Amino acid sequence: MAHCRGTVLQKGVAPNAHQTSQVLASELSLAAFILLLVMAFSKKWLCLSGSRFYQRWPANISTRIHMSAHIMARGPLQICNSRSCFNLENGKQSSKEWTDQPVSEVAKISFWFAVGLGFVLAVWLHLPYLPGLERMPSFYWIATIMSSCEVAFIFSTLMLFPINLWIFELKRNLSIPIGWSYFIGWLVFVFYVICAILCHFNQKIFRSLDLQYPSGTMSHSRSSSSAQNTWIEQSISESSTSSRNS
């Protein structure tokens, strides 16, 4: 009896854990993607009010430094147009001071990949809610790979952004604190790490359920149970007919 109860508990706990982790992974991916959009459109990657200059510069260089700082505060996906910069020519020069660095280019590409893959991952993890896709083979294996790549892209962006800022500060002999948009990125990083762990956990549960309940076995058991129910109904109808005749 104890063995039967343990088997029944395992049969009930595994699908419940699979469903719970699936819902949690999909909602975490959606929340992380929304935070990625907040980071992409935010202008608070740097706290410009806390900037400190340790050297006096001429007026033209000081203006260019201020414009470069405003461009940097927009994050890796910064856009400098004629309205956001003081004038177009100085804006282009200030943008080059920040974006011509190889570290900045890699950070920009990494963040672009993070935003794009975050959207794909959020859509992918919501596909099991559609009928017919809940038992797609290698579904969670693909989700695990995408989550791991997302973790790598976010981590690269969060490491390269302060490195590029440090290079800029070293050249201009100043100090600019990092803003709250950057620290949101670490929350996104934690979300995607948890999402990758949940997807890997779901893959293990999915494989164990397939080993315990193969598709052929499930269809055979369903057909045998339906045949047994039909036989029972026929026997009941026959017994009722014989009782009426008697």
Side-chain angles (χ1 to χ4, degrees):
M1 291 294 293
H3 177 71
C4 294
R5 289 179 181 177
T7 305
V8 172
L9 286 175
Q10 289 179 358
K11 291 181 180 179
V13 168
N16 290 334
H18 174 70
Q19 185 178 5
T20 302
S21 57
Q22 173 186 331
V23 173
L24 185 58
S26 60
E27 297 308 317
L28 278 177
S29 66
L30 182 60
F33 176 68
I34 293 174
L35 291 178
L36 276 177
L37 292 180
V38 173
M39 293 171 61
F41 292 100
S42 174
K43 300 178 182 179
K44 299 297 182 180
W45 282 71
L46 298 178
C47 184
L48 300 178
S49 60
S51 302
R52 294 182 180 181
F53 287 82
Y54 301 107
Q55 180 180 349
R56 290 186 176 180
W57 296 97
N60 57 342
I61 298 179
S62 179
T63 302
R64 191 179 302 171
I65 291 175
H66 281 289
M67 284 190 293
S68 299
H70 280 281
I71 296 172
M72 283 185 281
R74 299 173 182 270
L77 303 184
Q78 74 284 339
I79 299 174
C80 179
N81 50 38
S82 58
R83 293 182 180 180
S84 61
C85 299
F86 293 98
N87 59 69
L88 188 60
E89 187 64 26
N90 289 333
K92 289 181 178 179
Q93 293 178 1
S94 302
S95 180
K96 287 182 179 180
E97 290 186 7
W98 169 248
T99 59
D100 281 352
Q101 300 294 333
V103 179
S104 174
E105 293 298 326
V106 176
K108 182 186 296 185
I109 294 173
S110 179
F111 193 61
W112 270 114
F113 275 114
V115 174
L117 186 59
F119 173 74
V120 175
L121 180 61
V123 173
W124 182 265
L125 288 177
H126 283 80
L127 288 179
Y129 294 107
L130 299 177
L133 295 175
E134 67 274 3
R135 295 187 63 83
M136 182 186 298
S138 68
F139 177 85
Y140 289 104
W141 176 248
I142 298 175
T144 304
I145 295 176
M146 287 196 295
S147 300
S148 302
C149 293
E150 186 71 17
V151 169
F153 289 142
I154 292 295
F155 184 76
S156 299
T157 303
L158 295 177
M159 294 302 295
L160 294 175
F161 182 82
I163 290 175
N164 199 22
L165 176 62
W166 177 76
I167 294 174
F168 179 80
E169 290 176 339
L170 189 63
K171 287 183 178 181
R172 296 304 182 184
N173 196 13
L174 55 88
S175 175
I176 305 176
I178 294 179
W180 56 267
S181 298
Y182 172 81
F183 295 104
I184 288 180
W186 286 109
L187 181 61
V188 174
F189 174 78
V190 172
F191 281 179
Y192 279 121
V193 169
I194 298 174
C195 188
I197 295 172
L198 290 174
C199 291
H200 181 66
F201 178 70
N202 280 336
Q203 176 65 21
K204 286 187 174 182
I205 295 179
F206 187 79
R207 290 183 61 185
S208 64
L209 290 176
D210 279 346
L211 291 176
Q212 291 179 4
Y213 309 106
S215 58
T217 305
M218 292 294 293
S219 61
H220 177 71
S221 62
R222 289 176 181 175
S223 61
S224 61
S225 61
S226 61
Q228 185 178 3
N229 292 332
T230 304
W231 179 80
I232 292 173
E233 291 176 358
Q234 290 178 356
S235 61
I236 292 173
S237 61
E238 290 176 359
S239 62
S240 61
T241 303
S242 59
S243 63
R244 289 177 182 176
N245 293 332
S246 61

